[in-house]
Amino acid sequence: MRLRALLDTDALGLRLLGGEDELDRTVRGVMTTDLRDPSRYLSGGELVLTGLAWRRDAADSEPFVRILVQAGVAALAAGEAELGAVPEDLAVACARHRLPLFAVHESVAFATITEHVVRQVSGERAGDLAAVVDRHRRMMTSGPAGGGPDVVLDLLGSDLDLRAWVLSPTGRLIAGPKVAGPGLPPDACAKLAAEHLAAVRTGRRGPHRVIMGQTTYSLFPIGSGGRAAQAPRTSQAAQAPRDVRESVLSDWLLAVESDAGDWADERLDLLQGVTQLIAVERDRRDAARTVRRRLAQEVLELVQTGAAPAEIAARLRVAAPVLLPGLGAAPHWQVVVARVEWDDGGLEAGPVAQSLLEEILVDPLATGPEPSDRIAVAHTGDEAIALVPLPAVSSEHDGSETGLLADALLATVREPLSSGLDGDGRLTLGVSAAVHSAEGLRGALEEARHARRVAAARPGRVCAAGHQELASHVLLLPFVPDDVRKAFTARLLDPLRDYDRRHRAELIPTLEAFLDCDGSWTRCASRLHLHVNTLRYRVGRIEQLTSRDLSRLEDKLDFFLALRMS
């Protein structure tokens, strides 16, 4: 805003004492001070308000004004409440340095002037930024993106002092401001994503307010215009509400470090425009995935229909340059299978699992949409299948295992996804071992599906299992019916638990240690800090209470399985 506009507002009670030729100066902020040297708090363009408490005599005016001019302030406004009138020496100093000077009537609070200036300046900044955002939107809609979301986030920071980040539903940082200041740590990203997904699932309208520590964030959903545009244009489709579960696990969000509840409507409208602009980039990213999805679908169909390995290998040679550009050697491949299931059914979950798996497979520390360009995911029914290329294992690794690990895939995304599934959905995921040729893909697919079924037999909303578990007894335990589990463990362990409860004998811990030490009396006694004779007494008591013999392999195995199933 211009200084001249301040005089046109009667409610501010300002009277011009000098500097009429400088009234076209731009005011970029406001500051109230009674410090003799406020320079370290000034950045230029401010209207400085002062009650003159810094002034002891006439000699103080000249250095004070000189400091303000050197800091580049727009004008000085002095209150009349303290001295009754603005001192002549201050007016002379301002005239000498060509600094506009206003007198503030004693009936007007500095807070009134501050609020007016801040409102006007913020409104003008928002208007200017809105024009920039609109221009950027046109650029992105009609051609290549003009810098992507990062450019808009930088504008929010520089013009509106708003720090903002674009996050995926799993809490991965997609874009953030490049201006100086602390970033958003991964744990905070995951927490914000979880809060956002929980709010969306409960039907709350955005922006969603979240407080973390001493900081308040406002979370804005970033939808996909593309999916909405593709909806059938029938009256029935228009009237039927869209199930939020179709997009909640794939839509991005904008996290702004501010409380949107205090914003004017103009600023809220501007941020909604920003989310629409970022949605254009998201749709562009989704369109770029079409080729990779088609490649994965073609390979999957060949594998499932029993095509010749040579035909599958030819298709993989086509896929490799797309997924791993510049890679000289033919990659190894892993297969990852994911399934999203909703308790009430009735919703096609394949596309949801597909977009979610594409996100999960991106390195959680990677930023931006580009890292997902090396992942090909197809879907069939409620199941999503990913074909993940891996660089060929170099000789220095001596063939040691490489690639994706099931637990690591879910380590950073479990919290937000659990919130997005919100008690009525499940995500289960299985990971195969790496295969080195087309002949191994069919086996890798079956292996990943078996691993996913192992994960599905476990408790929890988000579960994964890897190929390592398929060669263990752990594979069998989840498929034992619950009533059989309970009866088996009760028959073997309940007598020991009852005895421990009555006598504090610690028979259960003794049994676990004895089996873990492979029945070695010496090692087990040492681990439990017991004399061997004491250990023999406890083992004898276990055998007496259960009518089992811990020197027999069959009985050891029964106890081992009972402990694992309990």
Side-chain angles (χ1 to χ4, degrees), residues 36-105:
R36 297 170 67 86
D37 180 5
S39 57
R40 62 181 179 273
Y41 302 111
L42 298 169
S43 58
E46 294 93 348
L47 169 66
V48 174
L49 306 175
T50 180
L52 301 175
W54 51 266
R55 182 184 179 277
R56 298 188 180 90
D57 55 47
D60 292 335
S61 294
E62 170 66 24
F64 181 78
V65 172
R66 186 167 58 249
I67 288 171
L68 298 187
V69 172
Q70 290 173 347
V73 304
L76 175 65
E80 296 179 325
E82 185 71 22
L83 302 179
V86 177
E88 181 66 22
D89 50 87
L90 181 59
V92 170
C94 287
R96 181 181 300 114
H97 292 281
R98 301 179 64 83
L99 180 66
L101 176 63
F102 297 93
V104 182
H105 194 272

Side-chain angles (χ1 to χ4, degrees), residues 273-416:
V274 169
T275 62
Q276 294 170 12
L277 175 59
I278 297 172
V280 173
E281 178 67 18
R282 214 209 90 170
D283 288 343
R284 192 184 304 280
R285 186 279 315 259
D286 285 346
R289 286 181 170 177
T290 302
V291 173
R292 298 188 299 278
R293 287 174 171 176
R294 187 184 305 122
L295 286 172
Q297 197 72 41
E298 291 174 353
V299 174
L300 174 63
E301 289 175 0
L302 290 174
V303 171
Q304 293 193 126
T305 56
E311 187 178 358
I312 299 174
R315 184 57 58 188
L316 290 177
R317 284 194 294 272
V318 173
V322 176
L323 300 177
L324 289 175
L327 184 67
H332 297 181
W333 303 90
Q334 266 183 292
V335 175
V336 181
V337 173
R339 191 180 184 95
V340 173
E341 297 172 290
W342 304 103
D343 291 351
D344 60 1
L347 176 67
E348 185 183 5
V352 178
Q354 182 181 43
S355 59
L356 186 56
L357 187 53
E358 286 170 334
E359 179 60 41
I360 290 174
L361 291 174
V362 179
D363 183 345
L365 299 180
T367 59
E370 292 77 14
S372 62
D373 290 348
R374 296 186 174 185
I375 296 164
V377 183
H379 76 83
T380 173
D382 290 340
E383 186 180 67
I385 302 170
L387 188 65
V388 182
L390 302 171
V393 179
S394 61
S395 58
E396 64 183 8
H397 287 94
D398 297 325
S400 60
E401 185 178 355
T402 61
L404 304 173
L405 299 176
D407 290 340
L409 285 176
L410 297 182
T412 59
V413 302
R414 194 181 302 275
E415 179 184 5

Side-chain angles (χ1 to χ4, degrees), residues 539-557:
V539 170
R541 178 63 66 184
I542 292 171
E543 293 174 334
Q544 180 184 15
L545 291 170
T546 60
S547 301
R548 297 295 184 114
D549 183 355
L550 276 169
S551 66
R552 298 179 67 248
L553 176 60
E554 293 86 347
D555 289 342
K556 286 181 181 177
L557 181 59

